[in-house]
Amino acid sequence: MGYRIAIVGATGNVGHEMLNILAERQFPVDEIAALASRKSIGTEVSFGDKTLKCTDLDTFDFTGWDMALFAVGSEATKKYAPIAAKAGCVVIDNSSLYRYDSEIPLIVPEVNPEAVHDYKNKMIIANPNCSTAQMVVALKPLHDRAKIKRVVVSTYQSVSGGGKAAIDALWDETKSIYNPTDNTAQDVFTKQIAFNVIPHIDKFMEDGTTKEEWKMVVETKKIVDKNIKVTATCVRVPVFVGHSEAVNIEFEDFLDEDEARDILREAPGIMVIDKREDGGYVTPIECVGDYATFISRIRQDSTVENGLNLWCVSDNLRKGAALNAVQIAELLGRECLKKG
């Protein structure tokens, strides 16, 4: 006997990926529902070799359903997630709404799988921010060995993190530069994104950080260790899919770069591609469609007593969103619900 799964926001980029990954990983599904807003009723989406028609989220009855994977914004989640949870359906939420609630587990299965049992608090599990998810997969095995004191991270985040409108904006701006008669106005970004980089993701906060940067700080502490100090600079770059991060780590104990490389090679969810030669590293375009978080450029930082630098790349629509949600569903099923 398998699970009854609902995908909330099935017509969006992340919703599509959730359906693809559930099929790819042969998740034990008895029944699956594709849910969307009223305007998308009847829209067809793919699930493996099957075609599903979207039904109305507003009138859907979650009673008897095991899990609902939410891939909608915070406002819609705020309305519908409590309805699903009250009906006994466990919500796995990709929005930022519940990440900072102390009673709701924030989970990356390779890092803090034990937290899954706390789903019973509110019948909700939170999925972390895309930039946090890939970084903590790399931090955790190193932290277990040498205890991390401080992390300095600069991100190079693809436009797909901003949704379909952001992808369209990059495409349209790029075309309009090559064909000036095709002047496409857009208000997705604060500045031109084509052939540019923008050091601004989400809203500015009073101290000058952006909400995206704040998320990385708070989520790393919640998932890995509250005592780790984190400072982040998050930048949007003209790449369609795949987030990259330059990560500087300071440890309490010395960790040799060769040992760090060996630790990461053995760590779940990580692929180390680290050759000190032309092309001996991974770039965003190479990680698209892959499950792994790729680590390259591992090297000692001689400016501090116990420091390392590394380069971290992952498909943000997968590990940063849909894959992590499906992995949480697998973990929940295996450890708690035990069907299938």
Side-chain angles (χ1 to χ4, degrees), residues 91-137:
V91 171
I92 300 171
D93 175 35
N94 195 60
S95 82
S96 62
L97 183 64
Y98 295 111
R99 291 175 188 161
Y100 317 110
D101 186 323
S102 60
E103 293 189 81
I104 291 178
L106 179 66
I107 295 176
V108 174
E110 298 94 334
V111 178
N112 61 336
E114 67 285 348
V116 74
H117 297 279
D118 293 332
Y119 85 92
K120 293 179 181 177
N121 293 342
K122 292 189 177 180
M123 296 292 285
I124 297 172
I125 298 171
N127 208 23
N129 188 44
C130 49
S131 51
T132 307
Q134 68 186 69
M135 183 175 74
V136 297
V137 169

Side-chain angles (χ1 to χ4, degrees), residues 18 23 35 83 141 193 204 210 297 331-332:
M18 286 175 173
L35 308 181
I83 294 172
I193 185 61
F204 273 100
T210 63
R297 303 292 320 279
L331 177 65
L332 179 68

Side-chain angles (χ1 to χ4, degrees), residues 159-209:
V159 295
S160 58
K164 184 180 183 300
I167 294 173
D168 292 343
L170 174 57
W171 177 248
D172 291 340
E173 279 189 11
T174 304
K175 286 192 300 178
S176 70
I177 288 168
Y178 282 105
N179 179 13
T181 61
D182 180 18
N183 293 315
T184 305
Q186 60 87 14
D187 59 0
V188 176
F189 298 104
T190 55
K191 298 199 179 217
Q192 175 184 311
I193 185 61
F195 304 99
N196 198 17
V197 297
I198 305 173
H200 175 195
I201 302 176
D202 212 322
K203 298 175 182 178
F204 273 100
M205 304 177 74
E206 286 187 8
D207 66 353
T209 62

Side-chain angles (χ1 to χ4, degrees), residues 26 40 46 61 86 93 125 146 149 171 179 182 198 201 225 227 233 248 259 284 300:
Q26 298 182 322
S40 297
S46 297
D61 183 2
K86 188 175 181 180
D93 175 35
I125 298 171
K149 291 170 59 177
W171 177 248
N179 179 13
D182 180 18
I198 305 173
I201 302 176
D225 187 332
N227 295 314
T233 300
N248 176 266
E259 184 182 356
Q300 228 70 56

Side-chain angles (χ1 to χ4, degrees), residues 44-73:
E44 294 186 342
V45 294
S46 297
F47 173 61
D49 57 1
K50 298 177 182 177
T51 299
L52 308 175
K53 285 191 175 182
C54 289
T55 56
D56 185 8
L57 171 60
D58 204 42
T59 58
F60 187 77
D61 183 2
F62 287 93
T63 305
W65 292 78
D66 297 296
M67 305 180 208
L69 277 59
F70 272 61
V72 291

